[in-house]
Amino acid sequence: MSAVPSVRAPVPPLADPKDTLVPVDTARRLAQALPDARLQLVEGPGHHLPRRAPDAVASAIVAFVAAMEAADVNIS
């Protein structure tokens, strides 16, 4: 959390509400602390979403990039 104030780029935080390693409240606090972040919940896979829910993660990234492009936001 100490590095959060230095984050200037938009990010798409993802979390499973039933993650037993990182509580969803931690993800919610992170999303609130980041500029323009909107937490997306992915139900079911638990922790390590890229490994356990790669399609959901890929879809979230594609949608995030498309939304940033549509809003003409520089994400690089």
Side-chain angles (χ1 to χ4, degrees):
M1 290 299 286
S2 65
V4 170
S6 67
V7 176
R8 304 254 187 267
V11 296
L14 304 171
D16 182 344
K18 295 181 179 149
D19 184 336
T20 58
L21 188 58
V22 178
V24 72
D25 287 341
T26 301
R28 285 189 177 112
R29 285 195 309 273
L30 178 62
Q32 289 173 347
L34 291 167
D36 300 318
R38 289 177 188 84
L39 177 62
Q40 181 175 335
L41 299 178
V42 179
E43 300 278 345
H47 189 70
H48 205 280
L49 296 177
R51 184 173 50 118
R52 294 186 175 158
D55 292 341
V57 171
S59 293
I61 292 169
V62 168
F64 170 75
V65 171
M68 293 297 103
E69 287 175 346
D72 198 28
V73 174
N74 183 359
I75 57 175
S76 56

